[in-house]
Amino acid sequence: MNRVILYGCSGRMGQVITMMAERIDNLTIVAGIDVCLSEREYQIYPSLADCPVSADVLLDFSSPKSLYSYLDVAIARKLAVVVATTGLGTAELELLAKASEHIPVFRSGSMSLGVNLVQQLIKSAAKVLGEEFDVEIIEKHHNRKIDSPSGTARTLVDAIDPQKEFARKHGREGMGKRAKEIGIHSIRGGTIAGEHTVIFAGENEVLELTHRAESNLVFAKGALRAVRFIAGKRPGLYNMDHVLAD
């Protein structure tokens, strides 16, 4: 049985995760961490340090700043960590890299299996099409999303240009020809769960790859699959590529 502590359990995704986890065999949420109380079947604590419940994996669906409060505790307890929150900066990524020397850490720009498959496809497309095709990315999310561009969009750009040979152009305004760049455009509105389109525009032909999430269930499903994957793993840094390969 995989025992999970859910960080951010009172939020919107916390509710979805809680509901979906009830349907999965050999997995149970044994405790929640949140500053806000909510109606859950498990006990909720204000911090991981205050939580006495034993577990195998900590699943984080909160915010980047939460890493600073729980990572040291997770390391001390040998607790595997799945970071499903987005908007991580360089400092947070460095924290996770250091933590992975002691515990298994799972982090992905998107918890959607479909998005990660698209990532593999665009890597192949970029190699074949090369610099003869201009690349633009359009990402759409609901009006409550606070980070822009999305973590998924950043991951897709890095998949296309891992050596950072192209500039990142965020939106377009004013005069000027296109330079050696990858355009990234963000749309925020309504209840859009998440949509990403990668456009390869060449001479007289255009290739588009689109992933559309119809609901947050796809992210919850991927996160719980990551939990089952990382439970019992050795210390290290893992991502969705490892899950797809598995």
Side-chain angles (χ1 to χ4, degrees):
M1 177 68 71
N2 294 321
R3 300 166 298 168
V4 182
I5 295 176
L6 179 57
Y7 203 112
C9 63
S10 295
R12 185 164 52 94
M13 283 305 301
Q15 181 178 5
V16 176
I17 288 286
T18 299
M19 175 189 67
M20 185 168 287
E22 295 175 352
R23 309 172 186 173
I24 299 177
D25 295 332
N26 299 321
L27 187 150
T28 182
I29 299 177
V30 294
I33 307 295
D34 209 302
V35 294
C36 300
L37 296 178
S38 57
E39 293 291 332
R40 298 289 184 262
E41 296 297 322
Y42 44 81
Q43 185 68 38
I44 299 175
Y45 300 89
S47 70
L48 182 59
D50 294 319
C51 176
V53 182
S54 297
D56 305 298
V57 182
L58 171 72
L59 172 56
D60 177 16
F61 254 113
S62 58
S63 67
K65 64 181 181 181
S66 298
L67 271 64
Y68 297 92
S69 66
Y70 72 70
L71 268 184
D72 286 343
V73 181
I75 292 172
R77 298 184 184 180
K78 300 299 181 182
L79 191 62
V81 171
V82 174
V83 181
T85 187
T86 60
L88 301 178
T90 302
E92 288 78 30
L93 294 176
E94 289 178 353
L95 276 178
L96 291 178
K98 291 180 180 178
S100 69
E101 298 173 3
H102 308 281
I103 58 174
V105 174
F106 189 102
R107 184 259 168 186
S108 180
S110 174
M111 285 294 161
S112 162
L113 296 177
V115 163
N116 284 274
L117 180 57
V118 167
Q119 180 180 336
Q120 293 186 0
L121 294 173
I122 65 173
K123 284 181 180 179
S124 298
K127 290 179 180 179
V128 173
L129 302 178
E131 296 189 20
E132 296 181 8
F133 282 66
D134 299 322
V135 182
E136 300 278 309
I137 295 177
I138 302 172
E139 58 99 349
K140 306 175 185 178
H141 284 88
H142 52 83
N143 56 22
R144 296 178 302 281
K145 187 171 179 61
I146 60 175
D147 59 310
S148 178
S150 68
T152 299
R154 295 177 186 274
T155 299
L156 294 177
V157 172
D158 289 341
I160 296 168
D161 178 33
Q163 303 302 322
K164 293 182 170 52
E165 297 176 357
F166 289 74
R168 275 57 168 160
K169 178 72 172 181
H170 298 280
R172 297 190 182 279
E173 182 180 7
M175 306 291 289
K177 291 184 177 181
R178 179 188 177 92
K180 187 175 180 180
E181 61 197 22
I182 297 177
I184 309 170
H185 312 276
S186 298
I187 295 173
R188 297 289 177 267
T191 58
I192 302 172
E195 180 177 318
H196 295 82
T197 297
V198 181
I199 303 170
F200 293 90
E203 191 75 21
N204 299 317
E205 60 180 331
V206 176
L207 170 65
E208 294 187 10
L209 291 171
T210 297
H211 176 272
R212 184 178 298 109
E214 301 292 349
S215 79
N216 289 326
L217 290 176
V218 298
F219 307 116
K221 182 179 180 181
L224 290 172
R225 185 164 176 176
V227 166
R228 287 178 289 169
F229 168 82
I230 203 171
K233 289 289 188 296
R234 295 181 177 180
L237 200 55
Y238 301 86
N239 56 42
M240 274 296 176
D241 287 341
H242 297 100
V243 173
L244 292 175
D246 187 60

